[in-house]
Amino acid sequence: MSDPLGAFLEQKSPGPSSLWSLPKFLDLVTRWIISQLGSREVIPRRGFEGSQLQLFSNVTGSVDDRGTCQCSVFLPDTTFPVDRVERLEFTAHVLSQKFEKELSKVKEYVKLISVYEKKLLNLTVRIEIMEKDTISYTELDFELIKVEVKEMAKLVVQLKESFGGSSEIVDQLEVEIRNITLLVEKLETLDKNNVLAIRREIVALKTKLKECEASKGQNTPVVHPTPTPGSCDHGGVVNISKPSVVQLNWRGFSYQYGAWGRDYSPQHPDKGLYWVAPLNTDGRLLEYYRLYNTLDDLLLYVNARELRITYGQGSGTAVYNNNMYVNMYNTRNIARVNLTTNTIAVTQTLPNAAYNNRFSYANVAWQDIDFAVDENGLWVIYSTEASTGNIVISKLNDTTLQVLNTWYTKQYKPSASNAFMVCGVLYATRTLNTRTEEIFYYYDTNTGKEGKLDIVVHKMQEKVQSINYNPFDRKLYVYNDGYLLNYDLFFLQNPQ
């Protein structure tokens, strides 16, 4: 053993009479080695005391006869942390894999950003074009509509040739197509928000054309005679045409309740103006109405006189001889409004009439008092408490509104969907389903007879709000959930 170690052990000796224990000795040797190595690093190994860390790699020792411990210590010349390097290398490999994975994600994101950047640029260009009004989807819709209308016009020409002569139905279709052509041209410049309404009209016309084309090879249909305008030389209504869709009312889809028609004047039957009277969205108050001199003006929303009143109630309105007849708001009073001055000419109380939704039609509120016009003049259809809700018909003096005569029917008014008068005969309708009504009942004030009918009436929407008859053109003007429809009536020919 070298002198430095011996001197160190001499200093730490407990005394001449004491002997070194092996653990004590090893502990002193370890301390000396650490003091000699200074900053040098050794590989720790487990020694004699289980979990106690020892700083030497191999120790052998013995005790001589005098009890002195002798041992040899072998220290490596150099130490290298191999296990730490291995852990470092593994960690570096794991980090490298994670980095490659994240880098690939970043590359994908860069590609996506590039794609979306191009899409955004494309949208920006398209929006700029639309803002400059050089093109729009609405204009494209109108172009498609024009193509469809031209195709229908060609088909009508072919149908006329195949029928081998003039046909009333085909002629009517030709007129409607011409009207819709004018309407498209007008709306294209004035009102580009009505494409949907025009589409619906075109669908209706296409349906009619298909029906005509399908009937070419069939037997010639029964031709119903048309009486002289204003004449009652017939046996009553026996059939009705399919609906002709004129257009949506001018106030829009939200105004589902109202009435419309054509004025009838016995002195000038062919000069009647057209009127449209949609109720407010509450389905009760009649506040605004419009007058048109011709049907083309109505179709194109031009040359209209828009007038306002504040006292009309319900959709039982009718127009006769340049006067509008309305139920006064919240009363059983009736009024005659001069259309030239838009002022009330006269008011009267309708005796005993139920009002304010007491006995209105089915599915239609506030129509307890319903005016009607036919060849004989002005009528009013209503109910009373005494009639227990059954329909009461009164003939009115169209100037004074005095009741001239009254008839009582056995038909309960709230079970009918609407009613109209033709040549003194009341015709009542009822709902069969969402697309079909039926003229199911009649009452003849000329004879006092009443009975059942089964004339099917097709419709565009679910509810019929009003029906007005015009004696000159023999048409029914129907307000159907905001849409303006008209129908041709067919009559039974009297025996010669």
Side-chain angles (χ1 to χ4, degrees), residues 15-78:
S17 60
S18 300
L19 295 176
W20 293 97
S21 64
L22 182 59
K24 178 67 173 177
F25 173 77
L26 293 175
D27 182 66
L28 290 175
V29 171
T30 300
R31 292 182 184 181
W32 181 81
I33 292 171
I34 291 172
S35 65
Q36 294 298 313
L37 291 174
S39 61
R40 291 181 61 188
E41 189 173 351
V42 297
I43 301 174
R45 304 279 183 178
R46 291 190 178 273
F48 298 105
E49 294 187 2
S51 61
Q52 183 178 359
L53 294 177
Q54 303 296 331
L55 300 179
F56 45 82
S57 60
N58 190 15
V59 175
T60 58
S62 62
V63 179
D64 59 10
D65 296 335
R66 293 180 295 178
T68 302
C69 177
Q70 296 180 351
C71 63
S72 301
V73 177
F74 300 93
L75 296 174
D77 293 335
T78 60

Side-chain angles (χ1 to χ4, degrees), residues 330-344:
N330 204 35
T331 71
R332 61 167 56 92
N333 295 340
I334 56 179
R336 174 168 66 89
V337 182
N338 187 301
L339 294 182
T340 302
T341 61
N342 191 39
T343 57
I344 296 178

